[in-house]
Amino acid sequence: MRHVDALVVGSGAGGATTAATLAAAGVQTLVLEEGPDVGPGTFRQFSQDQMRAQYRNRGQLVALGLPPITYAEGRCVGGSTEINSGLYHRPSQALLEGWTRGWSVVDLTSEGMGPISDAIEHNLNVSTFPDRVPTASAFLASGAQRLGWFSTEVPRWFDHATGRRQSMTLTYLAYARERGAQIVSGAWVRRLEIDRGRAVAAEVEHSDGRVERIGFDVVFVCGGAVQSAALLLRSGVRRNVGRTLSMHPTVKAVAFSDLIGSDPSDVPVTQVREFAPDMTIGGSATDAPLLALALLPTAVGVDRVLDFGPDAGIYYAAIRSSGRGRIRVVRGMRDPLVTFRLPTDDFARLQSAMGRLLMVLLAAGSEQVVASVHGGQPISSDAQIPAEVTRMTRRAADLMTVHVCSSVPMGEDREICAVDSHGASHEVAGVIVNDASIVNGAPGINPQGTVMALAIRNAEHFLTQRGVHPAAREFA
Amino acid sequence: MGVSADVSRGWLSAIDASTPLTESVCDDVAARLDAMPSVLRSAFRVLDAGLAVLPAPVRRRAHLLPGVGEYVRVVHSLTAVSYYDLVTRDRLIPAPRTPNSPGVLAQPRA
C-alpha cells in the first residue's frame, strides 16, 4: 500500500487551493480526482459537449422535492471552476459574523480572511471587463437603472489579455504540480478506512477498474457539498453530516428584444443586487439547447427556438433559502440521493423573485418576457406580471441552482456541526473537510471565492499546528 | 429504453424532425438517461419496463399515473435539448444578427 503525507480528495476550488498550500509548504501531497483531465478551453463553455465530458451525470442532477431542483456540478480536474462563469465574490464581514454567531465558528474575521482573498484575487487575476460588458449583460443593467435598482458587474477570474479563464487547472493546480503535488484523474474514493477513531487509508477505484488502498497521515475531503458528505457517510462518519444542505433556488425567464444580442460565447456578468444577499438577479448562458430547455414548459414551446437568434436571452433570479436538504447514501447505488425541502415562505419569495425578474426585463426594453414555468405566457406589460407569478405554483415551477453548500457544517457547537472551526472532523481524527460543504448556510453570493479563502485558511492552520510555516500565498 | 424512444419519436414527429436526426436523438436520449444519477436511473428503468408491457391504449393514458408524467416530462426535456444540440452542433446559435434581419416575437402555441 502506498502512503502519502496528505491525500486531497477532489480538485475543485477547495481541493486545488488546499493542494497548492500544502505542496508549497513541502508536504507530500496526492490529489485524487474522480473525473477526467480535460484541458481548459477544449469545449465551448456551457455546451452539451462540455456537459458530457466535464459535468457530473451530464449536468442532469436533481434534488428531489416539491418542486424538484436541478443542479450542476463539475466532474473533472479543476471541478466546477472549469465549467462555471468564474464570477467572484469575497466573503463579506456580515457572512463571517453570521457564522461566528450562529455556528460558533472561532478565529474567523474579515481582517484574517482579507489578505487571503487579496492573494486569491491576484493569483486568479480577478477583474472586470476592461472596456464594456457584453450586450446581454448591459441589457439587464439598463432595466435595473430604469427602476432605480442597484446593479453591478461582478468580477471574475479571467485574463482579458489572453481570453482565458483562470480556472484551477491553469492556476492553483498548476502551482501545486510545480511544487511536487501529484494529481491523479479518474480516481474515485469509495470510502475512507477508519481505525480506532482515526482515518488511515482510502479505498480508491480507478477508471480502468483497478482498486487501490492509499494510506495517509491526513485526508482533506474536497469533493464538493454533495460528494464530500456522501464519502463521509459511506465511511461511517455520520454525525451532523448531510442533513443541512443549503442552496440558492433559482427561477428563470426568457426575454425577447433586439437589444439583447445574445452570444453563446458570452459570460453574463451583471447582477442586480438591490435585494442582495437575499435575492439576486442575473443573466444565464443562452444557446439553442438551453433556450429550448427554458421554453419547453411554457406556452411558447420550442418550435421557433432557431428563429429567435440573438434576440432571446435567459435570465434568472435566485434567493437565499432557509430550506434544508438531505444527502443519503443508498446501498448498491454509487450516486447519493439528494432531497431538498423548500419552505413555504421561501416559495413565496421565489414567486416575488420571479415578479421582479419579469419587471426588470420589461424595464430593460423587452418586447416580451416569458416566465419559465409550466404554461408560462409571453407578456409585454407590468400589468400582466401578477398572473404569471400566480401561475408559478409548486407543481408548475421549474427550479434550478448552481450553488450547493453547507452539508458538513463547520463550528465549535458539536450539537449542530460536523467539523470544527478549521474543518477538522469532530468525530474522526485525520479528516479535514475543505470545500463548499463547510460554507454554513446559503451565502447569497457565488460561493467559490469563499470556498477558496476558507480552504487556504484551514490548510494553513493545519500546517501551523504541525510546526510547518506556510509559503507565500501569492504566486511568484 | 423502448418506451422512452417512443416518447422521443412522438415529440420529434410533432416538430417534423428528419428520420436520421430522430434516430440520433433517440440514441442520445438513451445515453442521457443512462447518465442519470443512480437512483433516478433505476426508477426510470423500472417505469420504462412497466410501461413497455402495458397495452398501447392504456399506455397512452399512463401519464396520469404517479411518476409517469414526470418521466415523460424528463424524456421530453432530454429530447428537446438533444435535438437542438444536434441541429446547431456545427454553428453557434443564435447566429449574429444582421442590420436587416427581422426580430421574432414569441407567440403562444395555438
Side-chain angles (χ1 to χ4, degrees), chain B residues 43-96:
Chain B
F44 287 162
R45 280 181 179 161
V46 169
L47 273 175
D48 200 273
L51 289 170
V53 300
L54 292 176
V58 180
R59 196 189 304 160
R60 276 196 286 275
R61 292 195 303 274
H63 65 276
L64 299 172
L65 296 171
V68 178
E70 284 75 11
Y71 177 52
V72 170
R73 192 185 292 179
V74 167
V75 174
H76 282 167
S77 295
L78 299 181
T79 306
V81 169
S82 179
Y83 171 77
Y84 282 105
D85 179 42
L86 286 175
V87 296
T88 60
R89 177 157 289 268
D90 297 327
R91 57 193 172 126
L92 284 180
I93 296 289

Side-chain angles (χ1 to χ4, degrees), chain A residues 91-107:
Chain A
S92 68
Q93 187 171 347
L95 183 67
L96 301 178
E97 287 173 357
W99 291 352
T100 301
R101 283 195 310 273
W103 307 78
S104 304
V105 178
V106 300
D107 188 25

Side-chain angles (χ1 to χ4, degrees), chain A residues 43-47 50 55 83-87 129 132-140 153 156 158 160 163 165 259-270 282-287 290 309-316, chain B residues 92-97:
Chain A
F43 300 108
R44 178 172 64 78
Q45 206 69 6
F46 310 116
S47 67
Q50 186 184 47
Y55 283 57
I83 62 168
N84 62 19
S85 299
L87 300 180
F129 275 91
R132 57 184 179 176
V133 301
T135 56
S137 295
F139 180 75
L140 179 61
E153 178 189 350
R156 60 190 187 121
F158 197 81
H160 293 279
R165 303 169 69 260
L259 301 172
I260 295 173
S262 281
D263 180 334
S265 58
D266 277 349
V267 171
V269 291
T270 295
S284 293
T286 302
D287 65 7
L290 296 174
D311 297 351
I314 306 170
Y315 294 85
Y316 73 84
Chain B
L92 284 180
I93 296 289
R97 180 177 240 282

Side-chain angles (χ1 to χ4, degrees), chain A residues 44 48-49 57-58 60 62 264 287 292 296 298-299 301-302 304 306-307 309-311 333-335 368 374 377, chain B residues 11 28 32 35-38 40 42 73 77-78 81 84-85 88-89 92-95 97 103-106 108-109:
Chain A
R44 178 172 64 78
Q48 297 299 308
D49 286 336
N57 298 100
R58 291 184 70 165
Q60 304 172 145
V62 62
D287 65 7
L296 185 67
T298 72
V302 300
R304 303 176 70 195
L306 299 180
D307 300 333
D311 297 351
M333 302 271 180
R334 178 157 167 160
D335 304 311
Q368 292 179 318
H374 293 275
Q377 295 283 337
Chain B
W11 190 90
D28 187 48
R32 287 170 187 267
M36 285 276 175
S38 319
L40 281 179
S42 300
R73 192 185 292 179
S77 295
L78 299 181
V81 169
Y84 282 105
D85 179 42
T88 60
R89 177 157 289 268
L92 284 180
I93 296 289
R97 180 177 240 282
V104 178
L105 287 183
R109 282 171 294 195

